[in-house]
Amino acid sequence: MATAHVAMETDIPTPVPQTVGLPGQTPNSAGGYSWPLSDMGRVRRFLCLGSEGGSYYTNQKQLGKENAKTILRLMENGEGQDVVLEIMLFSTEGRTAKQEPIIFALALCARLGDTETKKSAYKALPKVCRIPTHLFSFIEYCESLSKGTGWGRSHRRAVADWYTDRNAYSLSILVTKYQQRNGWSHRDLMRLCHLKTDQDDLNIVFRYIIKGLEKTRADFGDLVTNPEILKLLDFLQAVETAKTCVKAEEIIPLIQKYGLVREHIPTTLLNNADVWRALLQKMPMTAMIRNLGKMTAIQLLAPLNDETELVVKKLRDQTALKTAKIHPFNILLALKVYSAG
């Protein structure tokens, strides 16, 4: 028995300290050793963290080529299209808490990749940059990465397609909700991409952006017999009317009838609980989570009231959360912010 006991003790492996590398491991920044990460693994890390290192920063960091050396290396090795596919998957499946690294990586592929990589990047543009805020960020990153001035044909076509491939009514909601960012506006992009289309409803939206509603009505007044055109013009009229509203009872019917969102509401009315009550009924999931603190501060949300029950019901809707691509980290962040008051 003693012999067996000794044999068992000798079979126990000797612990290896982290300062000693095992076969296949490489030194890390902490003074120890770890298993090396593949280039595509580093790309995934960058898309999630905005850095190829292992640290997540909640504050906005300036992104540049030095943050994505692995993406550049993969493109040089002819794997740019694989990078674009990974970018698209991470974006469409909601795998990241922040969109900026994904948009920057797409701009990197569109500007510095080979011909096929650029083609894939521009094809992915509407799937990755689903709202104007993302599109403006993409344009800004492209400008910062550009080797020359002016917009090339592929760049112009991709931006133009972002507008013309959309339903006119949906586009009207987007362009009135997200009007500009980082010094870029829809008018700027339309001018630079030489936007043209034969579709009357889209031309109404474009003319509204450039000339305003009064001029648009004058130019397209003969089309008001078309129900879809009339619906589009009525929505744009509601957006313009909302800008001049000074009382809650003036704007609440517009919210209820036309689905106006927070960005359509004058700042002076955004402390009114009745206005937020109307907004909450059809408020998008991301906006609702972002504004929980505001709705509590103005006493719209209170223990056991109808509005709180509605919020809880929405937050428990797993299908809605997945459809809205809400990342778990953003839920946790909202919880911490809300808990802190």
Side-chain angles (χ1 to χ4, degrees), residues 46 49-51 60-68 98-105 141 144-145:
F46 174 81
L49 306 179
S51 167
Q60 186 67 39
K61 298 192 71 178
Q62 186 68 32
L63 296 174
K65 286 186 287 187
E66 66 277 3
N67 301 112
K98 298 191 295 183
Q99 290 299 308
E100 293 302 312
I102 286 181
I103 298 169
F104 174 78
Y141 286 134
S144 67
L145 293 167

Side-chain angles (χ1 to χ4, degrees), residues 15 21 64 77 109 121 131 143 157-158 160 176 180 182 190 201 246 250 262 277 306 325 327 329:
N77 294 336
C109 293
I131 61 175
E143 291 293 308
R157 184 186 303 118
T176 55
Q180 59 184 354
N182 295 333
M190 290 170 58
D201 53 357
V246 294
E250 294 174 340
R262 184 188 64 82
R277 183 176 291 107
D306 292 343
K325 298 178 175 60
H327 194 276
F329 183 83

Side-chain angles (χ1 to χ4, degrees), residues 29-241:
S29 59
Y33 287 80
S34 58
W35 301 107
L37 194 63
S38 69
D39 277 352
M40 193 56 74
R42 289 184 179 278
V43 170
R44 296 186 186 106
R45 176 182 284 175
F46 174 81
L47 296 178
C48 285
L49 306 179
S51 167
E52 292 183 0
S55 300
Y56 178 85
Y57 297 93
T58 55
N59 61 311
Q60 186 67 39
K61 298 192 71 178
Q62 186 68 32
L63 296 174
K65 286 186 287 187
E66 66 277 3
N67 301 112
K69 294 178 181 177
T70 304
I71 294 178
L72 295 173
R73 183 165 60 249
L74 286 171
M75 290 196 294
E76 290 173 358
N77 294 336
E79 299 179 67
Q81 293 183 77
D82 294 332
V83 173
V84 173
L85 179 60
E86 204 69 20
I87 291 170
M88 192 161 62
L89 286 174
F90 267 66
S91 179
T92 57
E93 294 180 2
R95 297 187 190 180
T96 64
K98 298 191 295 183
Q99 290 299 308
E100 293 302 312
I102 286 181
I103 298 169
F104 174 78
L106 186 68
L108 202 65
C109 293
R111 278 310 205 201
L112 303 181
D114 57 29
T115 301
E116 292 305 314
T117 298
K118 290 180 178 180
K119 188 183 298 184
S120 297
Y122 283 125
K123 185 177 180 180
L125 178 62
K127 297 178 181 179
V128 175
C129 299
R130 294 178 289 276
I131 61 175
T133 301
H134 298 163
L135 180 63
F136 293 143
S137 292
F138 175 80
I139 297 300
E140 181 67 16
Y141 286 134
C142 284
E143 291 293 308
S144 67
L145 293 167
S146 181
K147 296 179 179 179
T149 58
W151 286 26
R153 181 181 300 175
S154 297
H155 193 71
R156 292 199 308 270
R157 184 186 303 118
V159 175
D161 288 347
W162 190 95
Y163 288 96
T164 58
D165 288 348
R166 294 177 183 273
N167 168 273
Y169 192 82
S170 299
L171 181 63
S172 70
I173 296 174
L174 288 174
V175 300
T176 55
K177 180 179 179 180
Y178 310 97
Q179 297 184 37
Q180 59 184 354
R181 182 174 181 177
N182 295 333
W184 294 97
S185 68
H186 294 290
R187 183 179 299 183
D188 296 328
L189 301 196
M190 290 170 58
R191 174 177 54 83
L192 290 166
C193 74
H194 305 163
L195 192 58
K196 294 180 181 179
T197 181
D198 294 328
Q199 295 179 242
D200 288 331
D201 53 357
L202 285 174
N203 276 321
I204 286 175
V205 179
F206 301 154
R207 185 63 57 85
Y208 168 76
I209 293 171
I210 300 296
K211 298 292 186 180
L213 184 58
E214 185 176 346
K215 178 64 174 175
T216 302
R217 283 192 176 279
D219 292 343
F220 293 90
D222 57 333
L223 298 176
V224 294
T225 55
N226 182 319
E228 294 301 314
I229 298 294
L230 183 59
K231 177 183 177 182
L232 180 59
L233 289 170
D234 284 348
F235 172 77
L236 295 176
Q237 180 64 67
V239 171
E240 291 300 306
T241 301

Side-chain angles (χ1 to χ4, degrees), residues 268-279:
T268 54
L269 292 175
L270 287 178
N271 286 321
N272 186 290
D274 291 332
V275 170
W276 279 96
R277 183 176 291 107
L279 290 171

Side-chain angles (χ1 to χ4, degrees), residues 324-340:
K325 298 178 175 60
I326 304 298
H327 194 276
F329 183 83
N330 287 335
I331 294 288
L332 176 61
L333 188 61
L335 173 62
K336 293 298 182 182
V337 172
Y338 189 72
S339 299

